Amino acid sequence: MSDAPKQPAKPSTPSLNPFPLRERIKMPRQHMPEQSAEERARNYGEVNLGYSAELARQEALRCLECAKKVCTTNCPVGVKVGEFVQLILAGDFAGAAAKIREDNVLPAITGRVCPQEDHCEGACLLHKKGESLGIGYLERFVADYEQRMGIHSFHKVPPTGKKVAIVGSGPSGLTAAGELVQQGHNVHVFEALHELGGVLVYGIPEFRLPKQIIREQLDYMRAMGVEFETDVVVGRTVTIDELMEEEGFDAVFVGTGAGLPVFMKIPGEHCNGVYSANEFLTRINLMHAYEFPKYDEPIVDCRSKDVAVIGAGNTALDAIRSALRLGARKAFVIYRRSEAEMPARAEEVKHAREEGIDFQMLTAPVEFLSDSKGWLTAARCVRMELGEPDASGRRRPVPIKGSEFDLPLSVAVMAIGTSANPIIQSTTPGLKTNQRGYIDADQTTQRTSRKGIFAGGDIVTGSATVILAMGAGRRAAKSIHEYLTTGVW
Ligand code: FAD
Ligand code: SF4
C-alpha cells in the first residue's frame, strides 16, 4: 500500500520544499528541546525551550502543502498555516510572523498554550500517518524571533473617531482590542486586577507561559495604540451604562471570563489546607509565591508536604505541578474518570508524568479529614468504575462499594471547574443571561441583548480555551466594526 497521503498536494505557487511527499511523510517530527524532568520539577523556568532556526526549518520541511488547508479551517482564528510555513522555508521569519499576525494577535501565547491536537494539528494529514506537523512549535518560534528582533508588523489606518471599551484583559478582550485598534478605533481596556492578561497571567504558571512573554505581547498592543487601565472593576468602579452614556464609548465588549471557583460540597471541604485552584494559582502567580524565598507567601507553603489536586484539566495540572515546584514531597492528581477522559492538553499530561506526579485515576474524594485545629490530614476517597455515557457523552463514573481509603494529605486543591464572573450581568439592566449565569450572545456576531454591547470568551461559553476565547474576540471585533461603521444593529 502506498504511503502517500490521499489528498494530492497542489500548491498554488512553486514549492520551496525540495523533498517529494513520499519522503516528507517519513521525516520524524522535530522534538521540542526541553529542561530535563528532574531539573525542571524543582524550578520555575520554562519547560519547553523553543526551536532553533535549524529545527524550525527541518520541521517546516515536513509540511505536505495540501490544497485543502484543513489546518487553517480547524484553527478558531484561521491562521494561514501553509503560508507561514512556506515563509519559514524561505528563511523569512519576520514575514512568517507577520502572516500569523494577520489572524492572531497573540502568537507567542497560542504557540505555547493552544490545545493544537484539538485544532490545527489534529486536522493535519500527517497526523493520520503518524505525528502531525509541529504547528504550535513553529508558531512559537517565529513569534519569539519577531519579539527578539523588535519587529512590529501591524498596519495603521486613519482614526475613525469611535471609542470601544473592552471589559477584561484575557485573551478574548486582548484579541478584540488588537483587531479593533487596527481598524482605526480608539480602544480602551479595563481590567479589574492590578495585572493585565486574565488567566494567562494569574492562572497559567511561569513554567508554561513566562510572564515576560505576556508583557511583551502587551507592549506590542500598546505600540498598536491600545490603552489599558487596571484596578477598574466594571460594574463597581463604573457601570457599562456610565461608560456608554457619560464617557462616550460607542460600543463595549465584555470578556470577563469564568473565574468563580466551584466546590464539591463534601464534608470537610472548608478545613484549613483546602484551596480552590483559582486562589492557589493566583497566590503563586500574582503574589509571587513562585519566587520564594525572595517573596515569602506563606499560605501556599507546600514544602515537604503531601499535596493533591482534585480534577484533571489544565488548571489541575498547573496547580499540582506548581505544588511540586514549591517543594511538595508527594504530588497526586485525583480524577474520577480514566486517562482517556482527561481534559488537559496532551503535552501537559506527558510532562506531568515525567515530573513524577502520581495520577490516582478512577478515584474521587468523599470527605476531607482534619485534626483538632482544623488542618487537613487526609482525603477519604472512593474508587470508581465507568458506567454508561452521561450528558457530556463521557462514560459516567460510578463508585465501587466498599472501596473507600484514606490518602494522607496536608494540602488539597479543588480544580473541578469554575462558573461565570457575575458583576456585569447584575449591574447591566436588560443584559440577558442563561440559566447558569453566562451572558447570552449570538455565536456568530457575539451581540448581546443590549444594543452596542458584545460579549465573548468564557463569560459566554463557560470555561473553555485560550484560542476559543480569541476566536470569539475576533468575531466580536468584526461585528463591532460593522456596527460602528454602518450604525445597523
Ligand atoms: P479570562 O482569561 O478569564 O479573562 C477575564 C478577565 O476579565 C480577567 O482578567 C478578569 O480579572 C477580568 N474581569 C472580570 N470581571 C471584570 C470586571 N467586572 N471588570 C473588569 N475586568 C474584569 N486554555 C488553553 O487553551 N490552554 C491552556 O493551557 C490553558 N490552561 C489553563 C490553565 C488554568 C490554570 C486556567 C484557569 C485556564 C486555562 N485555560 C487554558 C483556559 C483559558 O485560559 C481560558 O479559557 C481563557 O483565558 C478565557 O479567556 P477570557 O478572555 O474569556 O477570560
Ligand atoms: Fe494552531 Fe492555535 Fe496557531 Fe491556530 S492559533 S494555528 S489552533 S496553534
Side-chain angles (χ1 to χ4, degrees):
M1 203 174 93
S2 164
D3 262 353
K6 288 212 176 72
Q7 188 198 39
K10 283 186 204 146
S12 49
T13 47
S15 173
L16 294 169
N17 196 326
F19 294 97
L21 292 182
R22 193 177 296 279
E23 285 190 33
R24 291 186 215 171
I25 51 179
K26 289 188 197 144
M27 292 175 178
R29 177 169 158 135
Q30 297 301 313
H31 289 296
M32 168 61 79
E34 57 188 35
Q35 282 197 70
S36 76
E38 208 175 46
E39 192 187 342
R40 71 183 189 238
R42 299 292 171 191
N43 72 47
Y44 255 89
E46 198 174 4
V47 172
N48 286 343
L49 301 174
Y51 275 166
S52 62
E54 185 48 31
L55 282 177
R57 195 183 129 74
Q58 288 298 327
E59 184 60 21
L61 282 170
R62 298 178 64 232
C63 181
L64 298 176
E65 298 166 47
C66 307
K68 203 168 146 202
K69 308 290 185 205
V70 282
C71 42
T72 296
T73 45
N74 277 275
C75 166
V77 295
V79 167
K80 299 173 197 87
V81 177
E83 292 179 43
F84 94 73
V85 170
Q86 280 296 304
L87 287 160
I88 292 178
L89 284 179
D92 181 1
F93 304 145
K99 183 55 68 184
I100 298 172
R101 280 194 173 274
E102 287 176 9
D103 307 288
N104 174 353
V105 297
L106 303 170
I109 291 169
T110 50
R112 285 173 166 81
V113 303
C114 249
Q116 288 97 6
E117 64 270 24
D118 297 333
H119 298 293
C120 52
E121 293 186 18
C124 175
L125 283 201
L126 281 174
H127 181 60
K128 299 201 177 92
K129 294 281 169 192
E131 286 190 293
S132 63
L133 184 68
I135 299 168
Y137 293 167
L138 291 173
E139 189 166 288
R140 168 191 164 141
F141 166 74
V142 292
D144 287 356
Y145 173 87
E146 173 196 54
Q147 191 58 46
R148 244 189 352 266
M149 296 294 154
I151 301 163
H152 285 170
S153 59
F154 54 86
H155 50 271
K156 286 220 176 222
V157 296
T160 60
K162 301 285 183 188
K163 277 177 76 180
V164 185
I166 307 284
V167 186
S169 65
S172 65
L174 292 179
T175 301
E179 299 274 340
L180 285 162
V181 83
Q182 291 184 85
Q183 310 263 22
H185 305 301
N186 179 329
V187 181
H188 199 102
V189 178
F190 296 97
E191 168 55 51
L193 297 175
H194 64 282
E195 288 253 17
L196 298 166
V199 169
L200 302 175
V201 69
Y202 78 75
I204 303 182
E206 184 75 10
F207 57 84
R208 279 214 295 134
L209 180 56
K211 314 263 171 273
Q212 183 59 23
I213 298 289
I214 304 165
R215 280 184 212 120
E216 287 164 359
Q217 300 288 300
L218 290 166
D219 284 344
Y220 196 108
M221 298 193 82
R222 285 189 186 95
M224 288 164 117
V226 178
E227 292 165 24
F228 292 98
E229 204 174 328
T230 53
D231 298 307
V232 180
V233 183
V234 176
R236 293 265 154 76
T237 324
V238 61
T239 64
I240 288 191
D241 284 316
E242 285 164 353
L243 286 175
M244 296 179 90
E245 286 158 22
E246 293 167 25
E247 299 201 21
F249 284 96
D250 301 288
V252 177
F253 173 77
V254 181
T256 45
L260 220 61
V262 168
F263 285 92
M264 290 181 75
K265 301 190 176 72
I266 58 175
E269 207 173 11
H270 297 297
C271 70
N272 300 324
V274 179
Y275 302 93
S276 71
N278 189 306
E279 179 188 351
F280 187 77
L281 286 166
T282 303
R283 282 183 183 278
I284 293 171
N285 287 317
L286 290 191
M287 296 164 87
H288 301 275
Y290 72 93
E291 290 180 85
F292 180 87
K294 191 171 149 202
Y295 291 83
D296 192 359
E297 168 51 46
I299 305 282
V300 283
D301 183 0
C302 295
R303 282 166 291 171
S304 307
K305 291 183 176 166
D306 294 346
V307 182
V309 66
I310 320 303
N314 288 316
T315 309
L317 295 197
D318 282 347
I320 200 64
R321 293 173 72 201
S322 296
L324 195 67
R325 285 157 172 79
L326 290 175
R329 185 174 53 182
K330 289 188 195 158
F332 301 96
V333 166
I334 300 179
Y335 183 48
R336 64 195 183 125
R337 299 181 198 258
S338 72
E339 178 148 4
E341 290 86 19
M342 280 175 72
R345 288 180 77 224
E347 187 175 50
E348 309 315 331
V349 177
K350 173 179 167 283
H351 282 160
R353 283 198 190 286
E354 290 167 356
E355 289 165 15
I357 305 291
D358 182 338
F359 285 78
Q360 296 281 320
M361 310 308 276
L362 289 165
T363 303
V366 288
E367 181 178 357
F368 289 108
L369 310 177
S370 52
D371 62 17
S372 57
K373 293 192 174 137
W375 284 94
L376 178 68
T377 54
R380 178 153 297 159
C381 297
V382 63
R383 299 286 187 201
M384 317 288 274
E385 58 191 353
L386 292 179
E388 293 301 309
D390 62 15
S392 73
R394 297 178 301 175
R395 291 177 64 195
R396 185 191 303 274
V398 183
I400 301 174
K401 260 199 187 141
S403 66
E404 287 83 0
F405 68 100
D406 291 348
L407 183 69
L409 289 178
S410 303
V411 176
V413 183
M414 308 304 291
I416 54 164
T418 49
S419 60
N421 291 339
I423 302 175
I424 299 293
Q425 298 85 308
S426 59
T427 55
T428 313
L431 190 66
K432 281 199 186 139
T433 57
N434 67 20
Q435 282 173 335
R436 292 164 59 223
Y438 293 100
I439 298 176
D440 261 342
D442 183 276
Q443 286 180 16
T444 314
T445 63
Q446 306 300 139
R447 286 179 189 197
T448 68
S449 53
R450 279 278 311 270
K451 187 175 176 189
I453 304 180
F454 300 75
D458 285 4
I459 190 58
V460 170
T461 56
S463 183
T465 64
V466 168
I467 193 64
L468 289 174
M470 289 176 64
R474 194 156 198 240
R475 289 191 299 278
K478 184 170 178 281
S479 50
I480 290 172
H481 180 65
E482 272 164 22
Y483 169 63
L484 294 180
T485 48
T486 64
V488 178
W489 181 251

